[in-house]
Amino acid sequence: MSRARQPPLVTGISPNEGISWTKVTIRGENLGTGPTDLIGLTICGHNCLLTAEWMSASKIVCRVGQAKNDKGDIIVTTKSGGKGTSTVSFKLLKPEKIGILDQSAVWVDEMNYYDMRTDRNKGIPPLSLRPANPLGIEIDKGRFPQKDLEALFPGMSADFTSENFSAAWYLIENHSTTSFDQLKTAVVNLKKQANKKNEGSLAYVKGGLSTFFEAQDALSAIHQKLEADGTEKVEGSMTQKLENVLNRASNTADTLFQEVLGRKDKADSTRNALNVLQRFKFLFNLPLNIERNIQKGDYDVVINDYEKAKSLFGKTEVQVFKKYYAEVETRIEALRELLLDKLLETPSTLHDQKRYIRYLSDLHAPGDPAWQCIGAQHQWILKLMHNCKENYVKEQKAWRYKAPQQVVFVEKLTKLVVSQLPNFWKLWISYVNGSLFSETAEKSGQMERSKKNARQRQNDFKKMIQEVMYSLVKLIRGALLPFSLREGESRQYGGWEMKTELSGQWLTHVIQTVRLSSESLTALEIPNDMLQIIQDLILDLRVRCIIVTLQHTAEDIKRLAEKEDWVVDNEGLTSLPSQFEQCIIHSLQSLKIVLDCKPGEASVFQQQKTQEDVCQLSVGIMQVFIDCLEQLSTKPDGDIDTAHLSVDVSSPDLFGSIHEDSSLSSEQRVLIALSNCRYLERHTFLNIAEHFEKHGFQGVEKITQVSMESLKELDQRLFEMYIESKADPIVGSLEPGIYAGYFDWKDCLVPAGVRNYLKEALVNIIAVHAEVFTISKDLVPRVMSRIVEAVSEELSRLMQCVSSFSRNGGLQARLEICALRDTVAIYLTPESNSSFKQALEALPQLSSGTDKKLLEELLNKFKSSMHLQLTCFQASSSAMMKT
């Protein structure tokens, strides 16, 4: 904002006194920056703005008006500096009577003088024949106040042409300082003038003596003739001659003076016409000047000239003035139409709109141009928005850009609204506060009318804003959320070919774009209730973005099965759980911008339905990964690509569980899946739950609970599948091994050691141990315990099925049961202990110390002979059995 100028200061005026209509030059400081900046000029309290001519910031020329005060200040008012002050004053004199031939600096109304000359009934001689200085000496105006002279000579006048002429007043006013010698000279001059008048009359008589003599002779002859004849005939003849002579004299006089008087009247008429043209040339030239200024775009000059002409000639009764003023009004009406067309043109800047509205207001245009402009601007914005949509819809098939067309459309649409709506809103604010019409208080009445109209149309403008917001939201919904439109709105706001829905990444970009637009509109101080519809749109976009992102995350997780490389680390895990967790974390991080609430936004989880949908999708994501694990672990061997499979070199391959061709068996894949399930249950799912809570998800406990249950079910199925595949062959080999070679518990030899069937069973159990240990050490206790349970249960069943034992048979059975129990002691569970107990109870009790000693020796022998094989069953006591 520029610094305000100093108020105007008048320091001089020339001349400093004079009568009305005297042309004066005003000098001073800060008298304005131009003609349009000068808005007020008073001299002695009279407004002289109409005659003012701004020359520079230090000079103004004008004519003094008919003021009431005799003396007063010169006050200049400008837009830039306001009302000024004056260090000088002007004295207003009463006008003097000026003769026709006297010089004057101002216009003199001569109508009365002409009437006196042509009025033959009055005995007043023409002013042109009356001297302006009857005394013939230099006039020296005195310093006596006019009021004092009027009081001293009441009812009298100093005008020597007046019937109430006072010689004393005239001498005091015009010759108060004249010397006595000069007054003597004045007396001589008066006498000469009187003698000239007499001499003039005498000369006139002398010049017409011959005529008088002829007339006298004729009359004498007539008289003599009448006396001589005395007849009526002669009298008639002489009378006729006399009349002829008089007629000839009259005609001669008329001929002599008619031409002179005619030329005088013609000269007076011409001079009057020229004076009128000169005095009123402003009006006569105004129509042409208006056309020229309109062509140049100088509307301010046109309006100022029109105001001046209207104040001078708006109510004139002179026909010629009426004619020219009518021409002015015709051109002003054309200017009003031109300015209204320019005002309603689009596009247009706010500055031009305000300018045209002020012009139309100053020209007193009918109606309400400002409101018409607001309405036109509103319709134009709506048209731009719909045209934007139509253009992008037409280009759908030919779209070749990287960014989706709907995203580019939303960016273009919001940019359009944000660029156009501020000017639209500012135009309304200017309309409300009245600043469209005048920046000064001179037109306060007009401002009040504007404010009144604005109050009446406030609801109409609110509907305009709401319509723009409604169209903006519906167009965006048609492009991104077509399912949210009503049945009848799809044709107007839709029309997009939705081949594939936008990804969460692009929806996030759109949300940021709409948020920026909302912030820009909020900065305009538009009421929040008008912008609420945009907040609702943002909320729906945020919800949709979350839904779509979670759906795409589920698809990505489903494809994780293709990335499983079966590389196992020291803990028996592949990279799959880590990839799953990273995929979830990346998805939640991409939603951070969407989940965070900006000022004025509601939580995305405020609606119960949204909570339920998000919870269901989250559970679905977890279930997808669980299904992925099951698919990988149960997939047939021929469907697994094993070319890239490997095992961590740090994992000991004690028993060659991984074959030379580096392929994995189905049992090994099940073990890897069990190891992954164990890690998911203890770490991954809990970490994911923390991330869900961190990002504000609702129902995290439900998500975790359902997922855990599903994971445990899978784990149990896979575990039972593996146990079945490993335990059944071992259990199935017990009975045939026991009764191999027609073995009979009733008729057998003294025990010599543990038979081979049990050793084979132990070797098979050791093979399972080695396979599990190669994949995951943590799974060994759980698997081995179940294998032992199955073997002990089967052994117990077989013992209980024997009808009777011989002494040697009972000892043999007890040796084998005790050998198996002692070997797998660290993997015994209550169930397996119970089975072993039941099996021993089915045997006959040892009756002698010899049998007990033999049993002990045979057990030691067994353990010593199979020491190497039984090493795997000698794990540290810190290993905890897991069921």
Side-chain angles (χ1 to χ4, degrees):
M1 183 180 294
S2 62
R3 184 175 61 86
R5 291 179 173 272
Q6 296 294 326
L9 175 63
V10 177
T11 58
I13 183 170
S14 176
N16 59 2
E17 63 179 11
I19 63 173
S20 300
W21 296 108
T22 299
K23 186 175 183 179
V24 297
T25 300
I26 301 171
R27 298 188 181 277
E29 301 174 359
N30 303 316
L31 300 184
T33 60
T36 57
D37 192 39
L38 182 64
I39 60 174
L41 174 59
T42 58
I43 300 178
C44 298
H46 184 268
N47 188 357
C48 303
L49 182 60
L50 290 179
T51 62
E53 182 179 1
W54 185 90
M55 307 300 291
S56 67
S58 59
K59 180 179 178 182
I60 297 175
V61 177
C62 70
R63 291 188 180 275
V64 181
Q66 296 180 352
K68 297 180 179 179
N69 302 327
D70 294 336
K71 190 174 184 179
D73 293 335
I74 302 92
I75 304 300
V76 177
T77 306
T78 63
K79 290 181 180 179
S80 59
K83 187 174 181 180
T85 57
S86 174
T87 61
V88 296
S89 60
F90 182 84
K91 180 180 180 181
L92 187 65
L93 304 177
K94 287 198 173 183
E96 300 178 1
K97 296 272 184 148
I98 302 175
I100 295 176
L101 301 180
D102 292 342
Q103 294 183 353
S104 174
V106 298
W107 179 265
V108 180
D109 190 358
E110 298 175 342
M111 294 300 292
N112 294 332
Y113 301 149
Y114 300 150
D115 291 341
M116 287 190 295
R117 184 181 65 78
T118 56
D119 189 354
R120 301 181 183 275
N121 294 326
K122 293 182 179 180
I124 302 175
L127 287 179
S128 59
L129 301 179
R130 299 177 185 180
N133 186 3
L135 298 183
I137 60 176
E138 183 179 357
I139 295 177
D140 184 9
K141 293 286 185 178
R143 300 294 179 179
F144 293 94
Q146 194 74 13
K147 292 182 179 180
D148 295 345
L149 292 174
E150 290 176 356
L152 187 61
F153 302 99
M156 306 302 287
S157 172
D159 185 2
F160 61 87
T161 62
S162 175
E163 294 179 355
N164 299 325
F165 174 68
S166 171
W169 186 348
Y170 179 81
L171 290 175
I172 292 173
E173 184 177 31
N174 296 286
H175 300 285
S176 59
T177 59
T178 305
S179 63
F180 185 72
D181 293 335
Q182 288 178 323
L183 291 177
K184 288 182 178 180
T185 305
V187 173
V188 174
N189 292 336
L190 286 175
K191 290 181 178 179
K192 289 181 178 180
Q193 291 179 18
N195 292 334
K196 284 182 180 180
K197 289 182 179 180
N198 294 332
E199 290 177 358
S201 301
L202 182 60
Y204 178 77
V205 174
K206 289 182 178 179
L209 281 176
S210 59
T211 304
F212 285 112
F213 289 151
E214 290 179 2
Q216 183 66 31
D217 292 341
L219 290 174
S220 299
I222 291 170
H223 182 70
Q224 292 175 359
K225 191 68 174 175
L226 287 174
E227 288 181 353
D229 296 339
T231 62
E232 195 174 295
K233 182 178 180 180
V234 174
E235 183 179 0
S237 175
M238 294 307 293
T239 303
Q240 184 66 37
K241 286 182 179 181
L242 179 59
E243 289 179 357
N244 289 339
V245 172
L246 292 175
N247 287 335
R248 283 198 304 272
S250 176
N251 290 337
T252 301
D254 288 341
T255 302
L256 289 174
F257 290 99
Q258 190 66 38
E259 183 178 356
V260 175
L261 294 175
R263 287 199 302 270
K264 180 67 168 64
D265 290 339
K266 184 177 181 180
D268 291 340
S269 299
T270 302
R271 186 166 65 87
N272 287 337
L274 291 175
N275 288 332
V276 169
L277 287 175
Q278 181 65 23
R279 181 178 180 183
F280 301 105
K281 66 178 180 179
F282 164 74
L283 177 62
F284 299 142
N285 294 333
L286 187 56
L288 181 60
N289 290 336
I290 288 177
E291 290 185 357
R292 290 175 178 173
N293 289 324
I294 289 176
Q295 292 176 358
K296 292 189 295 183
D298 293 338
Y299 304 122
D300 288 314
V301 177
V302 174
I303 293 172
N304 289 337
D305 290 347
Y306 173 65
E307 290 289 344
K308 183 176 178 180
K310 186 176 181 180
S311 64
L312 293 174
F313 307 103
K315 299 180 181 180
T316 184
E317 297 296 331
V318 181
Q319 291 301 321
V320 66
F321 292 166
K322 282 186 176 181
K323 179 180 178 182
Y324 275 89
Y325 185 73
E327 289 292 328
V328 171
E329 286 289 357
T330 301
R331 283 160 174 78
I332 291 298
E333 183 60 32
L335 176 60
R336 292 191 187 104
E337 296 176 359
L338 173 64
L339 291 175
L340 185 60
D341 292 340
K342 287 183 174 292
L343 175 63
L344 301 181
E345 272 183 8
T346 52
S348 178
T349 63
L350 180 62
H351 173 74
D352 288 341
Q353 290 171 348
K354 289 184 175 181
R355 191 159 55 94
Y356 293 138
I357 290 172
R358 287 195 183 101
Y359 290 154
L360 289 168
S361 174
D362 292 340
L363 291 174
H364 308 288
D368 193 345
W371 181 250
Q372 289 178 271
C373 179
I374 291 174
Q377 194 74 5
H378 167 247
Q379 293 299 325
W380 183 64
I381 293 175
L382 293 178
K383 183 179 179 181
L384 285 179
M385 295 168 65
H386 286 280
N387 288 345
C388 180
K389 189 267 291 187
E390 294 297 333
N391 292 337
Y392 277 94
V393 169
K394 290 178 182 177
E395 296 177 1
Q396 285 185 105
K397 296 181 180 179
W399 191 257
R400 295 292 183 270
Y401 300 98
K402 181 179 179 181
Q405 192 177 23
Q406 292 94 325
V407 175
V408 179
F409 162 69
V410 172
E411 290 179 346
K412 180 70 174 179
L413 182 65
T414 53
K415 183 178 180 181
L416 186 152
V417 173
V418 170
S419 64
Q420 296 298 328
L421 202 60
N423 287 342
F424 183 58
W425 179 258
K426 291 175 183 177
L427 182 63
W428 165 255
I429 296 300
S430 299
Y431 181 65
V432 170
N433 58 32
S435 62
L436 280 177
F437 304 100
S438 176
E439 297 179 357
T440 66
E442 292 184 3
K443 301 180 181 178
S444 58
Q446 196 173 40
M447 292 175 64
E448 290 301 323
R449 288 193 299 271
S450 169
K451 293 179 180 179
K452 181 179 179 181
N453 292 337
R455 286 192 294 269
Q456 294 174 348
R457 289 166 172 160
Q458 190 169 2
N459 289 333
D460 295 334
F461 181 77
K462 184 177 180 180
K463 292 179 180 178
M464 290 182 179
I465 293 291
Q466 290 174 339
E467 186 175 1
V468 173
M469 297 296 103
Y470 181 86
S471 298
L472 172 65
V473 170
K474 289 297 182 181
L475 288 171
I476 295 177
R477 288 184 180 274
L480 303 177
L481 306 172
F483 53 84
S484 65
L485 295 178
R486 300 174 184 172
E487 294 183 1
E489 296 175 339
S490 298
R491 183 175 181 181
Q492 183 178 2
Y493 301 104
W496 299 87
E497 296 179 2
M498 304 297 290
K499 297 180 180 179
T500 57
E501 190 171 12
L502 292 180
S503 65
Q505 179 182 2
W506 286 116
L507 284 174
T508 301
H509 179 77
V510 169
I511 290 171
Q512 289 179 295
T513 301
V514 178
R515 277 175 169 172
L516 291 174
S517 303
S518 177
E519 291 174 2
S520 299
L521 297 178
T522 304
L524 296 175
E525 298 182 358
I526 297 177
N528 292 331
D529 58 337
M530 297 185 185
L531 301 178
Q532 183 59 42
I533 189 172
I534 297 182
Q535 295 298 332
D536 296 340
L537 169 66
I538 293 175
L539 179 61
D540 290 348
L541 287 174
R542 292 166 65 200
V543 171
R544 189 60 192 168
C545 180
I546 293 173
I547 299 297
V548 170
T549 300
L550 294 179
Q551 290 174 346
H552 288 180
T553 302
E555 295 295 328
D556 294 339
I557 291 174
K558 188 180 295 185
R559 288 190 291 270
L560 286 179
E562 302 172 2
K563 300 179 181 180
E564 176 61 282
D565 55 7
W566 299 104
V567 176
V568 181
D569 61 11
N570 289 332
E571 297 181 358
L573 305 174
T574 64
S575 61
L576 204 59
S578 177
Q579 291 181 20
F580 169 64
E581 183 176 351
Q582 290 302 317
C583 187
I584 295 290
I585 293 174
H586 177 74
S587 175
L588 294 177
Q589 287 177 345
S590 68
L591 290 175
K592 187 178 187 306
I593 297 177
V594 177
L595 293 170
D596 291 342
C597 295
K598 297 291 182 181
E601 293 182 358
S603 171
V604 75
F605 297 111
Q606 68 174 0
Q607 298 179 356
Q608 184 65 30
K609 184 178 183 305
T610 303
Q611 295 181 17
E612 295 175 355
D613 292 344
V614 171
C615 181
Q616 184 177 357
L617 284 171
S618 301
V619 172
I621 289 173
M622 311 291 270
Q623 187 61 48
V624 165
F625 184 69
I626 293 172
D627 295 340
C628 176
L629 285 176
E630 185 173 13
Q631 177 188 359
L632 286 171
S633 59
T634 59
K635 200 170 185 180
D637 294 346
D639 295 340
I640 301 296
D641 181 12
T642 60
H644 64 283
L645 301 181
S646 62
V647 177
D648 192 342
V649 295
S650 62
S651 299
D653 187 9
L654 299 178
F655 299 98
S657 300
I658 306 301
H659 302 289
E660 294 179 358
D661 60 357
S662 299
S663 62
L664 291 175
S665 64
S666 60
E667 290 84 0
Q668 288 175 320
R669 292 201 304 274
V670 171
L671 284 174
I672 294 174
L674 286 171
S675 179
N676 286 338
C677 287
R678 184 173 181 274
Y679 185 82
L680 289 170
E681 180 183 354
R682 296 189 177 186
H683 300 92
T684 305
F685 278 16
L686 298 178
N687 294 340
I688 291 175
E690 290 181 2
H691 284 286
F692 278 146
E693 291 180 349
K694 179 181 177 181
H695 287 83
F697 275 55
Q698 302 296 317
V700 177
E701 293 182 359
K702 179 181 179 181
I703 297 172
T704 305
Q705 179 183 356
V706 174
S707 303
M708 285 290 192
E709 291 176 356
S710 180
L711 180 65
K712 289 179 180 179
E713 291 177 1
L714 172 63
D715 177 82
Q716 191 63 31
R717 288 197 304 271
L718 294 177
F719 181 73
E720 295 296 338
M721 182 189 306
Y722 182 78
I723 294 299
E724 183 179 355
S725 66
K726 295 298 180 180
D728 286 357
I730 297 174
V731 170
S733 66
L734 289 178
E735 186 172 4
I738 291 174
Y739 296 104
Y742 302 101
F743 179 82
D744 187 1
W745 296 108
K746 298 179 182 178
D747 184 16
C748 61
L749 300 176
V750 176
V754 176
R755 289 184 293 169
N756 290 334
Y757 83 89
L758 187 60
K759 294 179 180 179
E760 290 178 1
L762 286 173
V763 169
N764 290 333
I765 293 174
I766 291 170
V768 173
H769 181 283
E771 184 178 60
V772 176
F773 187 85
T774 303
I775 301 300
S776 174
K777 300 175 184 178
D778 295 333
L779 285 177
V780 171
R782 181 184 180 193
V783 173
M784 294 303 295
S785 297
R786 284 297 304 273
I787 295 293
V788 171
E789 286 179 3
V791 173
S792 62
E793 183 181 359
E794 177 64 15
L795 195 58
S796 174
R797 183 187 69 78
L798 291 174
M799 294 300 106
Q800 291 177 8
C801 291
V802 177
S803 58
S804 63
F805 292 89
S806 64
R807 177 172 175 272
N808 291 335
L811 187 58
Q812 182 70 43
R814 187 177 295 276
L815 171 64
E816 292 171 353
I817 293 173
C818 290
L820 179 61
R821 183 192 64 185
D822 293 346
T823 301
V824 298
I826 63 173
Y827 300 117
L828 292 177
T829 64
E831 289 78 6
S832 57
N833 272 325
S834 175
S835 298
F836 280 119
K837 183 178 180 181
Q838 292 175 1
L840 291 174
E841 289 176 351
L843 301 179
Q845 297 295 323
L846 294 177
S847 58
S848 64
T850 304
D851 292 341
K852 293 179 180 180
K853 183 177 180 181
L854 177 62
L855 178 63
E856 185 177 352
E857 290 177 355
L858 291 175
L859 283 174
N860 291 334
K861 180 181 177 182
F862 166 73
K863 294 176 182 178
S864 176
S865 62
M866 295 192 68
H867 174 73
L868 181 62
Q869 289 84 350
L870 301 180
T871 304
C872 65
F873 297 116
Q874 297 176 3
S876 61
S877 59
S878 62
M880 302 298 296
M881 291 182 292
K882 306 295 180 182
T883 58

